Amino acid sequence: YTRLLESQVDSKQNHINQLENYIRKLERTIHTDSSTSTQKIQLNRPAIQGVPLPLVENPTISIILVTWNGIDYINECLGSVLEDIYENKEIIVVDNGSTDGTPERIESGFPSVKLIRNDRNQGFTKGVNTGINSSTGDIILLLNQDAMIKPGLLETLKDSLKDESIAITGCKILDPDNKTLQHAGGILHDNGLTDHYGAGKADEGQFDEDRDVAYVTGAVFAFKRNLVNEIGIFDQRYSPAYFEELDFCLRAQRAGYRIRYIHNARAIHYESTSTGKFSQRFYYLYHRNRLKFILKHFTAGYFATTFRRFEWNWLKKHAPREQLFPLFKAYLRVSHRILWVFIRTAKERILK
């Protein structure tokens, strides 16, 4: 027991020494800059970047990021995680072959982060699964490279998962203006179209109450590790991105668990920086995976009745013109699956 205490003291002392060395290095840099030039240098979170975390042998929370050419956001993202006072955490970044210097920035600026480098872009879904397999925490938090968490989020989401009936939680997410709501829980429509409670509205406290929801966005997505043992990892057929978190939530619900929006946990999100928000590629991936999701989880009867009615009504009255061509491509891409869902439904009825 004495040796264990001595080991813990030595570990803490090593961390203090690292901090002192960093502060001295920062002071020398500031002194040199101020004495040689009057040029103003802008640094992203200078008090955080480069500070190592104390090594945690058994972290409670594993924070997983999948990055791809995210150099414009990574300092703010990782800086916000390091600023959170919850200490019992590990940070894992899976980089999908970035070419803009993102992994080099992480290596030089955030030495405590466990960096896994892929030679090519394997997509968000495969990157998440790689991170999960490399993590050790009882709770896993997925965080987009362009999201910044507010102080206290880690503790708040951890506490929310103490309820045995809750398996997945998400938070209130604001646009970069820090005023406009982006997410207060997810809505799933009958044809698989998705929406967020409060999206585009000013945050005036109207969603300051925890609630059960259909899903929470993968931008900030916390869940219990044991859930993976029960329902499996993220479905890589949604690669590179979109609907993998909704698929995961639906599988958890069908296993008897609740999905919970936690209003006191908050974050800011720039949204879809890796695929391009509202680009033709974004619409194609979104609709392709929406159709995959419906065909995977629902019967031929549902597809031929409820889905068809809602989809046709949306196409006639609401579908934006810029989405029609990507949607047509998506239908062509999954057309063979439509036949399969009818075969699967017939087989299930026969087996009954």
Side-chain angles (χ1 to χ4, degrees), residues 261-284:
Y261 158 71
I262 307 299
H263 80 279
N264 280 334
R266 305 190 177 192
I268 293 174
H269 184 212
Y270 285 92
E271 198 169 19
S272 298
T273 58
S274 61
T275 56
K277 184 67 171 176
F278 304 133
S279 66
Q280 291 290 289
R281 172 173 166 77
F282 166 82
Y283 286 131
Y284 168 70

Side-chain angles (χ1 to χ4, degrees), residues 269-324:
H269 184 212
Y270 285 92
E271 198 169 19
S272 298
T273 58
S274 61
T275 56
K277 184 67 171 176
F278 304 133
S279 66
Q280 291 290 289
R281 172 173 166 77
F282 166 82
Y283 286 131
Y284 168 70
L285 292 174
Y286 176 87
H287 286 301
R288 185 199 67 180
N289 285 355
R290 173 175 70 91
L291 295 172
K292 283 184 178 181
F293 172 80
I294 290 292
L295 294 170
K296 173 184 175 180
H297 287 290
F298 297 92
T299 65
Y302 182 92
F303 183 83
T305 55
T306 304
F307 172 87
R308 182 181 60 82
R309 285 195 300 267
F310 200 98
E311 184 82 347
W312 182 241
N313 183 64
W314 174 70
L315 285 169
K316 287 193 301 182
K317 298 180 180 179
H318 306 291
R321 181 180 296 271
E322 64 271 15
Q323 294 190 34
L324 295 181

Side-chain angles (χ1 to χ4, degrees), residues 27-129:
E27 288 174 342
R28 287 195 301 269
T29 301
I30 294 172
H31 176 74
T32 301
D33 289 343
S34 61
S35 61
T36 58
S37 174
T38 59
Q39 182 181 5
K40 185 177 180 180
I41 299 175
Q42 293 184 353
L43 296 175
N44 256 331
R45 300 184 183 272
I48 296 297
Q49 186 181 353
V51 177
L53 284 170
L55 296 178
V56 179
E57 292 185 2
N58 298 298
T60 302
I61 302 178
S62 296
I63 300 106
I64 298 173
L65 284 78
V66 178
T67 58
W68 184 74
N69 289 346
I71 197 166
D72 292 337
Y73 304 95
I74 199 63
N75 280 5
E76 290 288 323
C77 178
L78 290 177
S80 71
V81 176
L82 291 171
E83 281 184 345
D84 193 288
I85 61 173
Y86 188 81
E87 293 184 353
N88 197 18
K89 60 193 174 189
E90 65 175 352
I91 306 172
I92 300 170
V93 174
V94 181
D95 185 77
N96 269 331
S98 293
T99 58
D100 66 345
T102 297
E104 291 77 14
R105 174 70 60 82
I106 294 170
E107 287 179 333
S108 62
F110 303 93
S112 59
V113 171
K114 180 179 180 180
L115 178 63
I116 300 171
R117 300 181 68 162
N118 292 328
D119 294 333
R120 59 184 178 83
N121 190 349
Q122 297 183 359
F124 178 78
T125 312
K126 291 182 180 179
V128 164
N129 287 337

Side-chain angles (χ1 to χ4, degrees), residues 96-350:
N96 269 331
S98 293
T99 58
D100 66 345
T102 297
E104 291 77 14
R105 174 70 60 82
I106 294 170
E107 287 179 333
S108 62
F110 303 93
S112 59
V113 171
K114 180 179 180 180
L115 178 63
I116 300 171
R117 300 181 68 162
N118 292 328
D119 294 333
R120 59 184 178 83
N121 190 349
Q122 297 183 359
F124 178 78
T125 312
K126 291 182 180 179
V128 164
N129 287 337
T130 298
I132 291 173
N133 291 333
S134 302
S135 66
T136 58
D138 295 327
I139 294 171
I140 296 171
L141 174 72
L142 306 184
L143 184 65
N144 276 14
Q145 66 179 6
D146 56 351
M148 282 69 71
I149 66 173
K150 297 282 190 175
L153 178 139
L154 297 179
E155 184 85 36
T156 302
L157 292 186
K158 178 185 74 71
D159 289 345
S160 70
L161 288 168
K162 290 179 180 178
D163 188 326
E164 292 184 359
S165 68
I166 298 173
I168 300 169
T169 58
C171 69
K172 177 187 284 189
I173 299 180
L174 301 173
D175 283 346
D177 64 7
N178 206 28
K179 299 176 181 179
T180 306
L181 285 164
Q182 186 181 117
H183 170 272
I187 304 167
L188 176 65
H189 297 290
D190 287 344
N191 64 342
L193 287 174
T194 56
D195 202 355
H196 294 165
Y197 288 105
K201 299 179 180 178
D203 180 20
E204 299 175 345
Q206 66 270 49
F207 294 99
D208 284 357
E209 183 177 344
D210 297 352
R211 67 169 78 186
D212 285 2
V213 290
Y215 75 99
V216 291
T217 176
V220 185
F221 188 95
F223 60 96
K224 298 172 182 175
R225 170 176 294 280
N226 288 341
L227 185 62
V228 175
N229 300 330
E230 188 168 344
I231 69 172
I233 57 176
F234 284 72
D235 189 339
Q236 295 182 171
R237 287 173 291 185
Y238 294 102
S239 186
Y242 303 119
F243 276 82
E244 62 283 310
E245 79 270 38
L246 203 152
D247 176 275
F248 195 74
C249 285
L250 182 57
R251 284 189 281 144
Q253 287 174 319
R254 289 182 173 177
Y257 296 106
R258 297 157 59 202
I259 317 300
R260 193 79 169 162
Y261 158 71
I262 307 299
H263 80 279
N264 280 334
R266 305 190 177 192
I268 293 174
H269 184 212
Y270 285 92
E271 198 169 19
S272 298
T273 58
S274 61
T275 56
K277 184 67 171 176
F278 304 133
S279 66
Q280 291 290 289
R281 172 173 166 77
F282 166 82
Y283 286 131
Y284 168 70
L285 292 174
Y286 176 87
H287 286 301
R288 185 199 67 180
N289 285 355
R290 173 175 70 91
L291 295 172
K292 283 184 178 181
F293 172 80
I294 290 292
L295 294 170
K296 173 184 175 180
H297 287 290
F298 297 92
T299 65
Y302 182 92
F303 183 83
T305 55
T306 304
F307 172 87
R308 182 181 60 82
R309 285 195 300 267
F310 200 98
E311 184 82 347
W312 182 241
N313 183 64
W314 174 70
L315 285 169
K316 287 193 301 182
K317 298 180 180 179
H318 306 291
R321 181 180 296 271
E322 64 271 15
Q323 294 190 34
L324 295 181
F325 182 66
L327 176 61
F328 177 71
K329 285 177 60 180
Y331 268 109
L332 289 178
R333 184 68 180 83
V334 303
S335 58
H336 65 287
R337 294 174 181 265
I338 297 175
L339 176 61
W340 168 246
V341 76
F342 280 89
I343 295 173
R344 185 191 68 201
T345 302
K347 183 179 178 181
E348 289 172 353
R349 288 185 177 180
I350 291 171

